[in-house]
Amino acid sequence: AAQNEAVAALVAKYKKSAGGSPAAPTPARQPEAAPRDVAAAPARQPVAGRAATNDAANLNDVVGLFAWPKKPRTVWAAAKAAITGQPDAPRTFHARRPSAPAPSTNINDDVDAYFKKWRRVVPHCAPLMQGSCVYVAPNGGIVHARDMSLAKNAGSSKQMLADLQLRAVSASLQSVLPEDRWVSWNMVYTAAGPTKPRPWPTFAIGKREPHRPGLLMPNPFFGAPSWWARHNLLQIAASQKRSWATRLKKVLYRGACGPGARARLELMNLAESSNLLDVGFTGVDGFPSIQSCVDALAKKHEIRAAPSASRRAPHVAQTNYSQYRYLLHLPGAATGSYSRNLQYLWTQGSIVLVWNQTATEFYYRHLQNDVHYVVVDAATIVQTVEAIEADPARQERLRRGARAFYDAHLAAPRLIDRWRAVLEALALRQDVEPPKIDNSSACTCDHRLATRYRACSTCLHLEDTEMAYFMGILKKPKRPRAPDPDDVVGLARDILAAKTLEAARAVARAFVGQN
């Protein structure tokens, strides 16, 4: 509104100086005949810097600006260009770019590029099958177009983790949100990413192929920025207690077997032939057992499965990752797309190895091979590790590069900056009319909106340890199993049959150990 008022003032001022209106311009005044023996006055010259066209045409350029937004630039810049005839330099959301080609210093410049494709007002999200619409109220409250848990949709847990992240982000960025209107987008929670373009903003947590549509945003497993910061401080503190000389000269990898785990099976096949690899499956996704998963992958991709590939490996807690010199990242188990494992590797003080793949997340485009990480595959991983082991200077450079990448792109303030860039773009460009939210299916976890929308079925309010359990970072301790009544009867019989007190205690200890 302030920009439009400024343009209106310019138009009024220009009308006064031009002496007419764009609809009915005043005819050019003819010069009066000069008296005899007096030289005629010179003709009026155009103002320097303004196109030599009639005033009405110039004024029409200004009036045409009210078809907002006519071009992907601000109203003020467009008005200035029409009045002076000098186009303004292109702008980002934060600073003016230099006119000469130069690498961008804005790590979120892809956000600017994504929203520039809308020549006019960005529409609000409308409900659809893939993913779910997310609406942010003027007070920062989060509303979801549908509760994915009720329909048992894939990604329901990710939806609630994303809600937890967004509630924390919106509280940090309340000043960025427009005070009197909503913003919205479509959030796709599948690892493979969006399948086709939509007429409204579509965000993804990952893409199996980079050409898929949508804007990449931090995945839900970053959690709330405050939790993410505390978690990494603990990882950094644990890693600093372990010197490089005492770390195992091995590559660590643990992960699940699933329909998209071809790369993981290729890695498991190498474990028998090299002592450098401490790798293995710790679980299964979409199959009844690891063996059935391995057999299905081997048949589908026509590759041999080593006998040890289906062996369940012991769990390694994240706090113990820093016992290893090399940490490996592979594509996800479900679809072969992104895996959240990578975001936890940068603060371990180890060297990060990334399997050659096409999957991508929002920060992958900033990664530099042999600076922040080293790319490997089944043919090169062993030789690559041997070469790094023989080069201490390269070891130090890669370790420093991994930590520098975390500080520059994945620290909690950087995640908030990513969301700030998106919310600023939506506040500037999205439709001022409120979105059409179906109250019968929408839900919220925000108490401020509880009177207008029903509560989502699985809202998360997790403390640090609970969050780690929920995300699988920590392994939940097994609850003690209730003993079978028949076993209790047998225990009593064995205790009574014992000849000595020590023998009875031994029977009791054996029973407790078995149960």
Side-chain angles (χ1 to χ4, degrees), residues 99-261:
S99 57
S104 175
T105 57
N106 177 14
I107 63 173
N108 295 312
D109 55 0
D110 59 324
V111 176
D112 190 9
Y114 178 77
F115 282 99
K116 277 187 175 180
K117 70 180 183 180
W118 273 281
R119 296 285 180 172
R120 296 186 180 276
V121 174
V122 176
H124 281 293
C125 181
L128 70 167
M129 289 306 296
Q130 189 182 27
S132 176
C133 292
V134 178
Y135 306 101
V136 182
N139 65 359
I142 309 298
V143 178
H144 302 274
R146 62 189 180 114
D147 189 344
M148 299 175 70
S149 298
L150 294 180
K152 297 182 178 180
N153 294 109
S156 58
S157 61
K158 295 178 185 176
Q159 182 187 40
M160 290 295 96
L161 275 175
D163 176 85
L164 184 70
Q165 182 184 112
L166 284 171
R167 277 184 278 140
V169 167
S170 66
S172 301
L173 300 178
Q174 187 65 47
S175 61
V176 175
L177 296 172
E179 297 180 356
D180 55 350
R181 55 193 176 90
W182 295 66
V183 295
S184 67
W185 61 86
N186 175 41
M187 194 76 201
V188 177
Y189 299 102
T190 57
T195 55
K196 60 183 178 180
R198 301 289 182 179
W200 43 75
T202 300
F203 300 162
I205 61 178
K207 299 179 185 179
R208 187 170 54 204
E209 299 87 16
H211 67 266
R212 288 185 176 236
L215 179 66
L216 289 165
M217 296 301 293
N219 68 63
F221 297 96
F222 283 100
S226 57
W227 174 85
W228 176 247
R230 291 192 300 271
H231 171 75
N232 282 286
L233 285 175
L234 292 175
Q235 301 302 311
I236 292 170
S239 68
Q240 289 175 344
K241 295 178 181 178
R242 298 183 174 114
S243 67
W244 185 249
T246 61
R247 298 193 184 200
L248 296 173
K249 299 178 181 179
K250 291 188 175 185
V251 177
L252 173 67
Y253 180 78
R254 295 291 189 272
C257 184

Side-chain angles (χ1 to χ4, degrees), residues 16-50:
K16 185 176 180 180
S17 62
S21 67
T26 303
R29 184 177 181 181
Q30 299 297 326
E32 298 179 0
R36 187 176 298 177
D37 300 331
V38 176
R44 184 181 179 184
Q45 299 298 321
V47 178
R50 184 181 297 170

Side-chain angles (χ1 to χ4, degrees), residues 107 232 318 324 336 399 466 480 484 498:
I107 63 173
N232 282 286
Q318 273 193 24
Y324 293 78
R399 293 178 65 202
E466 294 173 323
D484 187 90

